[in-house]
C-alpha cells in the first residue's frame, strides 16, 4: 500500500562534485522525489551542478562552495595532494553548513539528502547521507579514514547504501561493515539507465569522467591507442560544456558530453565499454548487463579495489593507466561481464523518513 505524503514537501538533494558519478546517481532519486509529490531542490558546484542543471532545467538549483578536490599528476601522490588541500576542504564544509542552515529557513526545506557532502546536514529536519564507502580505502591509513567517515555518518538520521546487504554484492568491503553501529539502509544499486533491445552501432564505447588532470591524461592516452583499433568507436570525453559538440573522424565519433537519454541509448548500442571503475559506472554497467574493461584512476584506492574485486570475480578485466594498450581489450572475451540486476527500490519506504519528526 502506498504512503500518502504531505503535499509539496521540499527536499534538498546535494551531490559531491567529484567527477560526475555522485551527480548522475542522484538523477533517479530526483525523479522519484518528483513522482512521489516532493519538490526537489538541487545543490552542488562545478561540473556536477552543470550536469544536473542540463538534466533538470526546470528545477531550482543552489550553488555550494567547492571542496577543491584535485588529483596529483602522479597517482602515487594522490593522498598527499588531498592532505595539502584539506584546509580548503574544511573551509568549504564549514561554509556549506552555514549556507544550509540559512536555506532551511529561506527555502522552506523539509528534508535533506546529501551524497557525500559532509556539511549538508540539519538537526532540525530529517537528514540522509548517501555513500557506498562505509570503509574509505586510503592504503595504510584506511582504518583512520574509515572511522572518521563513519563518525560523520552517525550524525545523520539514516545512511542509504546503494548496494545489497547480501553475500553477492557490488561494493564488497567498501559498503559492508563487520559490525553495524550506523543507521544503515541498503537500498539496492542506483542507476539512471534502462536496458533496451537495440541493434549494435558501436564496437567500443569510451566514456571518461573524474577530476583533472587524470581525466585529460587518460583522454590523451586513449586517443593515441584507438588509432590501432579496427572497430567503430564512440568516445565521450566527459567534459560538460554549454553546448554539445560532435566530431567524426574515420572510425571514431567524438562527443564532449552526453545527457542521460543519449548515454542510455549509446550504452545499449555498444558491444563493449572502456571506462574508469568508479562505482556509479559499475552500477550503470550492472543495470545494463554489459561487458566492460576498466582503467582505475591512478591513486584512487576505491577504484583500484573495485577493479581488482570485479576481475577476481571473473566479471570485468582491468589494467593500470600507464600499462594499458588497446590490445588489452582482447582479454574481455575471457570474462563473463555483468549480469543484469533488476532494481526494485522501495521509494515509499525510503521517503517515509521525511514524514517523521526529528
Amino acid at each position: 500500500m502506498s504512503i500518502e505524503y504531505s503535499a509539496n514537501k521540499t527536499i534538498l538533494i546535494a551531490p559531491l562534485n567529484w567527477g560526475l558519478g555522485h551527480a548522475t546517481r542522484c538523477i533517479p532519486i530526483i525523479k522519484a522525489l518528483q513522482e512521489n509529490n516532493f519538490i526537489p531542490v538541487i545543490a552542488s558546484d562545478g561540473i556536477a551542478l552543470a550536469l544536473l542543471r542540463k538534466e533538470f532545467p526546470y528545477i531550482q538549483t543552489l550553488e555550494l562552495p567547492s571542496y577543491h578536490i584535485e588529483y596529483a599528476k602522479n597517482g602515487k601522490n594522490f593522498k598527499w595532494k588531498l592532505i595539502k588541500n584539506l584546509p580548503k576542504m574544511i573551509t568549504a564544509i564549514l561554509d556549506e553548513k552555514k549556507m544550509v542552515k540559512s536555506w532551511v529557513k529561506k527555502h522552506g526545506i523539509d528534508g535533506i539528502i546529501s551524497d557525500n557532502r559532509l556539511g549538508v546536514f540539519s538537526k532540525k529536519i530529517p537528514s540522509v547521507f548517501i555513500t557506498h564507502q562505509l570503509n574509505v580505502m586510503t592504503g595504510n591509513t584506511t582504518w583512520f579514514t574509515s572511522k572518521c567517515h563513519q563518525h560523520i555518518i552517525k550524525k545523520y538520521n539514516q545512511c542509504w547504501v546503494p548496494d545489497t546487504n547480501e553475500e553477492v554484492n557490488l561494493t564488497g568491503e567498501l559498503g559492508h561493515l563487520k559490525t553495524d553501529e550506523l543507521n544503515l539502509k541498503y537500498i539496492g544499486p542506483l542507476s539512471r539507465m534502462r536496458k533496451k533491445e537495440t541493434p549494435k552501432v558501436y564496437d567500443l564505447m569510451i566514456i571518461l569522467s573524474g577530476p583533472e588532470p587524470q581525466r585529460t591524461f587518460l583522454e590523451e592516452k586513449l586517443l593515441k591507442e584507438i588509432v590501432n583499433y579496427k572497430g567503430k568507436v564512440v568516445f565521450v570525453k566527459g567534459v560538460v560544456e554549454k553546448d554539445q559538440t560532435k566530431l567524426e573522424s574515420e572510425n571514431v565519433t567524438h562527443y564532449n558530453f552526453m545527457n542521460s537519454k543519449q548515454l542510455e541509448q549509446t550504452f545499449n548500442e555498444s558491444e563493449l565499454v572502456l571506462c574508469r571503475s568508479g562505482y556509479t559506472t559499475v552500477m550503470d554497467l550492472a543495470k545494463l548487463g554489459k561487458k566492460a574493461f576498466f582503467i582505475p584512476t591512478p591513486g584512487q584506492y576505491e577504484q583500484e579495489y573495485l577493479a581488482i574485486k570485479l576481475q577476481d570475480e571473473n566479471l570485468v578485466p582491468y589494467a593500470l593507466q600507464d600499462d594499458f594498450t588497446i590490445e588489452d581489450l582482447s582479454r574481455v572475451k575471457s570474462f563473463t561481464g555483468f549480469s543484469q540486476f533488476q532494481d526494485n527500490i522501495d521509494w515509499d519506504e525510503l521517503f517515509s523518513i521525511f514524514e517523521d519528526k526529528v
Side-chain angles (χ1 to χ4, degrees), residues 287-311:
K287 181 62 184 293
L288 297 170
K290 301 298 293 186
K291 283 205 164 193
F293 192 100
F294 288 141
I295 303 176
T297 301
Q300 193 167 337
Y301 293 95
E302 169 219 354
Q303 289 197 15
E304 292 171 355
Y305 169 81
L306 286 171
I308 293 169
K309 173 187 184 294
L310 295 168
Q311 178 169 278

Side-chain angles (χ1 to χ4, degrees), residues 253-265:
T253 303
H254 301 265
Y255 289 89
N256 52 349
F257 70 93
M258 287 184 175
N259 62 31
S260 289
K261 186 176 180 180
Q262 290 172 316
L263 275 175
E264 180 181 82
Q265 184 69 19

